[in-house]
Amino acid sequence: MNAVPSGPPEPDNKRAPGAGGGGPPHDGGTERRLTALETRFDTILPTLATKADLGELRLDMGKMRSELVERIGASSTEMRGQTSALGTRLHEKINGLGTELRGEISALGTGLHEKINEQGSELRGEISALGTGLHEKINEQGSELRGEI
């Protein structure tokens, strides 16, 4: 990243010191380093932001933050509305199914009650017929016994 050479001295420069400096004055190394630095500054300086640029950036970011908060709030409100509507529809659907199920259970109960009543009537008829037959048999047997006695 550094445009200024900072490594060991050039091998062909006989006057350069061993520590990597630019050598004695007037060897051209200092001018070369200054030219490199000036070129670097000329390249970098126009890209640096000023305080005014940073202030403008802060304003833009604040505006974007406000817009984002507003959008999130609107989305949140919309989602709460949709969730509420879904909850209401779900509640209505459950109530409808409950009413339908109660109707079906009631119909089954009525049918079962009628079936039990029919079976009870049949059984009472059969028991009555058996009782009558038994009563007649007892009367016959009683008459025979009275005749024998």
Side-chain angles (χ1 to χ4, degrees):
M1 193 184 235
N2 193 352
V4 178
S6 61
E10 298 173 1
D12 54 10
N13 186 353
K14 305 291 187 239
R15 293 182 294 171
H26 310 298
D27 67 350
T30 305
E31 283 188 37
R32 190 179 69 237
R33 291 183 71 205
L34 280 175
T35 302
L37 284 173
E38 286 174 355
T39 303
R40 186 171 181 198
F41 286 136
D42 288 345
T43 304
I44 293 174
L45 277 177
T47 64
L48 298 177
T50 64
K51 285 185 181 181
D53 293 336
L54 293 178
E56 189 176 316
L57 180 62
R58 272 192 211 102
L59 288 175
D60 288 346
M61 289 179 70
K63 182 181 175 186
M64 290 183 338
R65 181 187 176 280
S66 295
E67 289 173 357
L68 181 61
V69 167
E70 185 179 318
R71 285 181 180 175
I72 289 172
S75 295
S76 177
T77 302
E78 182 180 343
M79 287 178 67
R80 276 193 299 272
Q82 290 174 352
T83 303
S84 177
L86 284 172
T88 301
R89 287 197 306 264
L90 182 61
H91 185 71
E92 290 170 354
K93 186 75 168 176
I94 289 171
N95 280 342
L97 289 172
T99 301
E100 187 179 320
L101 188 58
R102 281 189 294 274
E104 289 177 13
I105 290 171
S106 177
L108 286 172
T110 301
L112 184 60
H113 185 68
E114 290 172 356
K115 193 74 166 175
I116 290 171
N117 281 341
E118 289 173 14
Q119 293 291 320
S121 295
E122 284 180 27
L123 282 174
R124 279 189 297 275
E126 290 176 13
I127 291 171
S128 177
L130 285 173
T132 302
L134 187 59
H135 184 55
E136 291 172 357
K137 193 79 161 166
I138 290 173
N139 281 341
E140 286 175 17
Q141 294 291 322
S143 295
E144 285 179 20
L145 282 173
R146 276 189 296 277
E148 290 178 15
I149 293 179

